[in-house]
Amino acid sequence: MMALGRELMQHFDQTEQDCTCLHPTDSALQRQLARFAIKGEVTRVVDGLYARTVYWDSLRPDEQAFHLMRALQVVHPSWVFCHESAALVYGLPVSYHRMLPVKVSCGRRDSSGTRRGAYHHAVPIDDAEVVQGLRVTPLPLTLCDCIASASFADALAYADGAIRVTSLSVERLGDAIRALNPRPHHAERVLDVLTHADGRSESWAESAMRALVIERGFALPDLQVEFPRPLDPNRTFRADMVFTRRNGTRVITEIDGIEKYVNERMLGGRSTARTLADEQHREAQLTLLGMPIMRVSAEELRQPERVVRKLIVYDIPRRAA
């Protein structure tokens, strides 16, 4: 492997500190980066934007998306990010596989398609919000765009997230959607999803679990239920969900999304190893409450029949017709 020169390392040190990508404007530097890209030490993220391969590969998809958006915003100051890219900026739960490529609004006069390092959508750009230093479509439009083409699980996650980050009621969010005067079939889909939305779901996986329960006709669980800690009754544990079985007994349900182990906000300053250990101690105490614990992983939610079998085995009833 070739060693990156001092000047190039300084450039990469700065861009990594700024959580963005390197955009070389000097032709000699561009040629140098192209050579390193061939050798594998540098990754050409998109045309004209680069990152050290070791650094880029260490980033999660959401981090990669933010790096790329920050760089593209500098190169193209007039761009407005839309769809899943805007949703990510607002803090809505976006599936990893929908984070890239970056989505940009190009207005109704241009055609949709991939060019200049992003997928361009033919959506209006009359208004733009600046969030986290990035120009994005307004939240109601972002929500409408995302839900219109998403699976029910992803759509419910967007709706839950929008309520959570804005603290708006379902009714007020619905009014904001109607004010956009979207296409009738888009409006119907979005407003239907909103009727199921609940801002208490804290991750994509929790929303996806509720989406599956709704679609398969099971009785809905209570969300974010608090229980006194058996070893410290003055404090509480909070379960993601609690289902009520046919016989009236309850099932604590924990949704194991990867986000709680990598999201810095959810880690709260703890390491991933510490968080895993805390989870084990927490579950050990939850068993003292005398209720069975059903665990569902994000991976299982992508294989719905596995989760349906669990719900049946735990005797979770179907909703009355």
Side-chain angles (χ1 to χ4, degrees):
M1 299 288 284
M2 299 172 63
L4 299 178
R6 178 181 299 179
E7 179 186 3
L8 199 51
M9 281 301 300
Q10 289 175 342
H11 284 300
F12 279 129
D13 287 344
Q14 185 61 55
T15 57
E16 290 167 13
Q17 182 179 329
D18 295 339
C19 296
T20 185
C21 301
L22 177 59
H23 172 56
T25 55
D26 177 81
S27 59
L29 189 57
Q30 291 171 354
R31 290 192 296 271
Q32 187 180 9
L33 284 163
R35 290 195 298 271
F36 281 119
I38 293 172
K39 296 293 184 180
E41 289 206 31
V42 166
T43 294
R44 189 181 70 169
V45 180
V46 298
D47 284 346
L49 296 177
Y50 297 85
R52 283 192 311 130
T53 298
V54 171
Y55 175 75
W56 186 254
D57 290 347
S58 73
L59 300 176
R60 300 189 309 270
D62 58 319
E63 293 172 326
Q64 291 182 347
F66 268 109
H67 278 59
L68 185 51
M69 283 190 284
R70 292 187 188 103
L72 289 171
Q73 191 77 93
V74 171
V75 179
H76 306 286
S78 65
W79 278 12
V80 177
F81 298 102
C82 64
H83 285 69
E84 291 86 2
S85 296
L88 188 62
V89 175
Y90 280 113
L92 307 189
V94 180
S95 298
Y96 276 176
H97 73 278
R98 298 181 72 91
M99 291 180 180
L100 293 172
V102 164
K103 317 301 191 303
V104 175
S105 170
C106 63
R108 295 198 186 280
R109 290 177 296 179
D110 295 326
S111 60
S112 298
T114 302
R115 54 187 179 274
R116 292 185 290 174
Y119 186 88
H120 292 248
H121 283 276
V123 295
I125 52 174
D126 296 333
D127 298 307
E129 304 285 343
V130 177
V131 180
Q132 299 193 60
L134 298 167
R135 285 163 50 82
V136 293
T137 49
L139 181 59
L141 177 58
T142 299
L143 189 61
C144 193
D145 288 337
C146 289
I147 289 179
S149 60
S151 67
F152 183 54
D154 283 339
L156 190 59
Y158 296 135
D160 289 346
I163 292 173
R164 187 171 62 252
V165 302
T166 64
S167 298
L168 291 176
S169 66
V170 169
E171 292 74 19
R172 288 191 61 189
L173 203 51
D175 290 342
I177 295 296
R178 292 185 190 93
L180 294 172
N181 194 27
R183 296 174 182 174
H185 63 285
H186 285 182
E188 183 179 356
R189 173 88 199 288
V190 175
L191 295 174
D192 176 66
V193 170
L194 280 177
T195 64
H196 301 289
D198 192 318
R200 291 176 296 171
S201 285
E202 296 181 334
S203 67
W204 176 87
E206 290 182 25
S207 296
M209 178 65 176
R210 283 185 26 257
L212 184 149
V213 166
I214 292 166
E215 287 187 311
R216 298 305 181 95
F218 288 94
L220 287 168
D222 294 323
L223 305 181
Q224 309 304 332
V225 179
E226 292 190 344
F227 296 100
R229 298 189 182 192
L231 301 182
D232 188 358
N234 293 321
R235 301 175 66 192
T236 59
F237 283 128
R238 192 175 63 175
D240 294 333
M241 300 178 181
V242 175
F243 286 92
T244 300
R245 296 196 285 190
R246 296 177 190 276
N247 62 6
T249 60
R250 296 193 292 177
V251 177
I252 293 173
T253 304
E254 295 288 274
I255 310 300
D256 295 327
I258 192 66
E259 185 177 11
K260 68 174 69 174
Y261 305 115
V262 297
N263 185 303
E264 291 183 4
R265 178 183 60 82
M266 299 181 77
L267 285 171
R270 298 174 298 169
S271 67
T272 297
R274 179 70 265 169
T275 301
L276 287 166
D278 289 345
E279 279 287 307
Q280 292 174 335
H281 291 303
R282 175 176 175 275
E283 183 163 329
Q285 288 197 56
L286 284 174
T287 60
L288 297 175
L289 297 173
M291 287 177 273
I293 299 173
M294 173 170 58
R295 304 197 74 96
V296 177
S297 70
E299 290 71 27
E300 286 177 308
L301 287 166
R302 295 185 174 90
Q303 303 173 58
E305 295 307 322
R306 292 179 59 184
V307 182
V308 169
R309 284 196 294 273
K310 278 191 178 183
L311 290 167
I312 293 171
V313 168
Y314 278 87
D315 199 28
I316 307 304
R318 304 275 183 169
R319 293 193 305 277

